[in-house]
Amino acid sequence: MEFFWFLLTIAGMVACLFVNPSLVLPTFTSAASEAISLTIKMWGVYAIWLGFLEILTTTNIKNKLFKPLKKVIKFLFGRVDEETEGYLCENIAGNFLGVGGISTPSGIKACEKLQGDGAVITAGASMLILLNTSSIQLIPTTVIGLRAASGSATPADIILPCLIAGVLTTAFSITLTKLYWHFRNKRLAKKQGVQTSCAKNKKPRKKLFAKMRSKS
Amino acid sequence: MSEIILPILLIILICYAFIKKAKPFNSFAKGAGTAFDLALTIFPFLVAIFMMIKICEVSGLLEIIANFIAPALEFIGIPKELSMIVVLRPFSANGCFALLNDLFLKYGVDSYIARAACVIVCSSDTLMYLTALYLSKCKVKRLLWTLPIGFAVSLFSGIISCLVCRIF
């Protein structure tokens, strides 16, 4: 992140010096005031959705509601503790429903728990970020609204292509991330000469018909 | 229809909480109280990211990059008119919406270009903003290959969007 920010900011500033040097500082200050107005707007949005999430938590429906997501989370993130699982469920559900106010706060909390204190990014945190980058939106309301406002004959016909594209992009992103971390863990394990974590965490397989055998 | 679902779900939630004596008013206030700290945490990173994006937009750097890679994108199936949106999408959502409006005016809302652009905007998200935001509470120093993979995903979403719009 440091590298990208450094590269792009310096490149942008240098390019701006060639185009119109007097624009550099006003652009920075207008960017800052945009950030302030967005923060205040987000403060309001987060207040509403964090409030509703708190109600959801106190009523204990959360566990029943998010049961189908637990298998998905186990596949994507491995075994995580209860709290992180809850945050991840909220994040995924929020993304799916297209409500940024739920997914962003939950995503930030989930990332904090997945990352821990390390200076190097963990598999869980990077999977979370890449999962959120490839968004699957059930109904992309903002874009439909824009199309309708510009006079489209069929503004909502974008739903199916978006869904298909979203699913394929998410599949690609999950595959790429899993592959990357698989090869990275393998490489690190080879270097250290230890067993890879996937072998370590494997549950001992239940022997087929063990019960029947023990009874007979 | 979609505008009705969420409010109905919220009505059900609040009624359920009230019936089960889970004190919805207090819970809501408690949850809403945590929003201030969250907003405060993300603010510095928002400033840094917005600064970076704005200077790239204003100086025309992203346009230069978009024009530079347009032939390569054309080769993999993304029309050169869409190269700007593909380059901009990982950086700025608002910029993309502005570009969408421009494309609607130039090529017509129901044209292939405009529809493909809409699908590109919907099927991937703002990588830089998300990374900075989600890692705002962590002390991460090395991101390894997260960002390059993210850009590859955004590029893939561009390719797939154009493909899907051709079929549908």
Side-chain angles (χ1 to χ4, degrees), chain A residues 4 130 176, chain B residues 127-128 143-154:
Chain A
F4 271 99
L130 291 166
L176 211 61
Chain B
L127 175 71
M128 298 261 102
L143 285 181
L144 304 172
W145 281 73
T146 310
L147 289 178
I149 297 180
F151 284 119
V153 170
S154 297

Side-chain angles (χ1 to χ4, degrees), chain A residues 5 34 117 119 133 147 152, chain B residues 48 54 110 125 139 141-142:
Chain A
W5 186 85
E34 244 185 70
D117 272 330
T133 311
R147 296 191 83 215
S152 164
Chain B
K54 262 248 135 122
D110 289 318
D125 218 335
K139 303 182 197 102
K141 292 202 177 68
R142 281 179 63 204

Side-chain angles (χ1 to χ4, degrees), chain B residues 102-137:
Chain B
D102 283 343
L103 285 173
F104 288 166
L105 289 171
K106 232 169 154 183
Y107 299 100
V109 194
D110 289 318
S111 65
Y112 165 69
I113 300 268
R115 295 181 71 233
C118 289
V119 182
I120 294 179
V121 168
C122 292
S123 64
S124 85
D125 218 335
T126 326
L127 175 71
M128 298 261 102
Y129 165 78
L130 279 177
T131 317
L133 217 65
Y134 280 33
L135 298 174
S136 55
K137 276 197 171 168

Side-chain angles (χ1 to χ4, degrees), chain B:
Chain B
M1 227 280 277
S2 58
E3 308 96 43
I4 314 179
I5 298 180
L6 212 50
I8 291 184
L9 288 175
L10 293 176
I11 292 174
I12 297 176
L13 175 68
I14 301 177
C15 292
Y16 182 81
F18 186 72
I19 294 170
K20 290 275 178 175
K21 300 204 193 292
K23 300 196 191 153
F25 176 63
N26 272 311
S27 307
F28 187 90
K30 181 173 157 212
T34 58
F36 180 65
D37 288 318
L38 188 70
L40 220 58
T41 318
I42 66 175
F43 172 66
F45 301 94
L46 277 186
V47 177
I49 289 289
F50 274 41
M51 200 174 99
M52 175 185 89
I53 294 170
K54 262 248 135 122
I55 195 77
C56 284
E57 274 184 72
V58 163
S59 63
L61 182 70
L62 288 178
E63 266 184 62
I64 298 175
I65 297 177
N67 290 331
F68 186 66
I69 63 173
L73 291 181
E74 191 88 51
F75 185 68
I76 50 179
I78 304 179
K80 64 175 170 359
E81 296 88 352
L82 294 177
S83 69
M84 187 62 193
I85 270 204
V86 172
V87 170
L88 192 60
R89 189 67 185 99
F91 293 100
S92 158
N94 286 324
C96 280
F97 286 129
L99 264 178
L100 265 186
N101 274 318
D102 283 343
L103 285 173
F104 288 166
L105 289 171
K106 232 169 154 183
Y107 299 100
V109 194
D110 289 318
S111 65
Y112 165 69
I113 300 268
R115 295 181 71 233
C118 289
V119 182
I120 294 179
V121 168
C122 292
S123 64
S124 85
D125 218 335
T126 326
L127 175 71
M128 298 261 102
Y129 165 78
L130 279 177
T131 317
L133 217 65
Y134 280 33
L135 298 174
S136 55
K137 276 197 171 168
C138 312
K139 303 182 197 102
V140 180
K141 292 202 177 68
R142 281 179 63 204
L143 285 181
L144 304 172
W145 281 73
T146 310
L147 289 178
I149 297 180
F151 284 119
V153 170
S154 297
L155 184 63
F156 182 81
S157 100
I159 302 172
I160 284 288
S161 308
C162 294
L163 215 73
V164 167
C165 277
R166 255 184 245 273
I167 302 175
F168 289 95

Side-chain angles (χ1 to χ4, degrees), chain A residues 120-163:
Chain A
V120 184
I121 200 167
T122 55
S126 73
M127 174 62 95
L128 182 64
I129 292 175
L130 291 166
L131 194 67
N132 276 275
T133 311
S134 58
S135 59
I136 307 182
Q137 275 187 312
L138 199 55
I139 300 177
T141 41
T142 335
V143 172
I144 296 181
L146 269 174
R147 296 191 83 215
S150 300
S152 164
T154 47
D157 71 348
I158 208 80
I159 295 181
L160 187 63
C162 283
L163 210 59

